[in-house]
Every structure is written in structure tokens, then in C-alpha cells.
Amino acid sequence: MKRRQFRLVLEPTPEEVVRLTQLHRYAGDVAGRGRAPIGGVLAEYIAGLFPQRDPRQVLDGLLGKEDAGWSLGTAPGQGPTLIIQTTEAGVAVSAVARILEQIAPNTLLRPMIYEPLPLQGLSEHRRSLH
């Protein structure tokens, strides 16, 4: 999978916003210290989807072992939208699609805007690695 730089504007439900926010927090905590608490709404949702599995294993499998490569934000004045934007590390579009499929599936049924972003500030060598 190639790590890309992009911005994705979504229209998730309020519950999906909570789950995505908790997932993002979990990913950041894991990258920083290894074992992180899982937000209550997300833990309950994962337990319902995969009752026989440890929620941490499910989330770790979904996120991978590297930096998540994305951040969450909102766009003022754009209503109930959520923005996923890549960080410098970037992320594969398929990885974000898999996250949405598992954590916020109704988001895939609504319109979304994908905006590729130019690779800025990266050396030619680093670009070739992505």
C-alpha cells in the first residue's frame, strides 16, 4: 500500500464521530506509550462486532504498527462534516476505507469529498519510498 497525502471530507453520524474520535485518540496513545485505554463507545461497538476477540487486537490490526498517518478535524460552517487529513507520514487510501468500513460504515453511504494533497517538504528520496 502506498502512503498518500489527502484530505477526506465526510458526513458521519454523531455516534460515528465519537467512534472515529476515540479510534484516533487510541492510535495516538498507542504510538506514544504502547498500551492505551479504548473509549467506552468504541470498545462497546468493537465488542458487538467481534464478541470473541480482544478489542485491542481488533484495533491494532485495523491501525497497523506505525504512526496512524491521519488526523481528524472539522470545517467551521460546513454542518455535520468531519475531515480526515493525512499527517506528514501519510496513509494508504485503502487503510482509511477499511477503518471507515469497520468503525463508521454509514459514512460510506453518504457523499464524501476526496482531495489529493501535494507531497510538500519531502525530499525526492523520501517521496520514492511512498
Side-chain angles (χ1 to χ4, degrees):
M1 293 187 290
K2 288 192 175 204
R3 288 182 167 254
R4 305 276 184 204
Q5 300 290 321
F6 61 90
R7 177 179 141 118
L8 190 61
V9 182
L10 311 165
E11 295 179 13
T13 65
E15 188 173 286
E16 289 173 329
V17 170
V18 171
R19 290 194 306 255
L20 287 169
T21 302
Q22 290 180 349
L23 177 67
H24 185 259
R25 186 176 314 126
Y26 175 80
D29 288 348
V30 167
R33 57 185 137 120
R35 282 303 224 187
I38 301 172
V41 172
L42 181 59
E44 184 179 312
Y45 181 76
I46 294 298
L49 285 178
F50 304 98
Q52 302 299 321
R53 294 190 57 201
D54 177 8
R56 288 186 200 292
Q57 289 178 334
V58 173
L59 295 180
D60 292 348
L62 193 59
L63 295 168
K65 296 180 182 181
E66 299 176 19
D67 178 10
W70 51 278
S71 65
L72 289 176
T74 58
Q78 289 203 0
T81 60
L82 187 66
I83 298 170
I84 294 177
Q85 184 162 329
T86 56
T87 61
E88 185 178 327
V91 67
V93 175
S94 59
V96 172
R98 187 170 170 227
I99 288 169
L100 293 175
E101 179 182 39
Q102 294 295 318
I103 305 300
N106 291 325
T107 300
L108 298 172
L109 302 174
R110 293 187 186 85
M112 61 179 77
I113 300 170
Y114 172 84
E115 301 171 347
L117 299 174
L119 293 172
Q120 296 178 351
L122 298 177
S123 69
E124 192 61 40
H125 172 71
R126 180 155 161 108
R127 283 184 206 175
S128 69
L129 297 177
H130 295 285

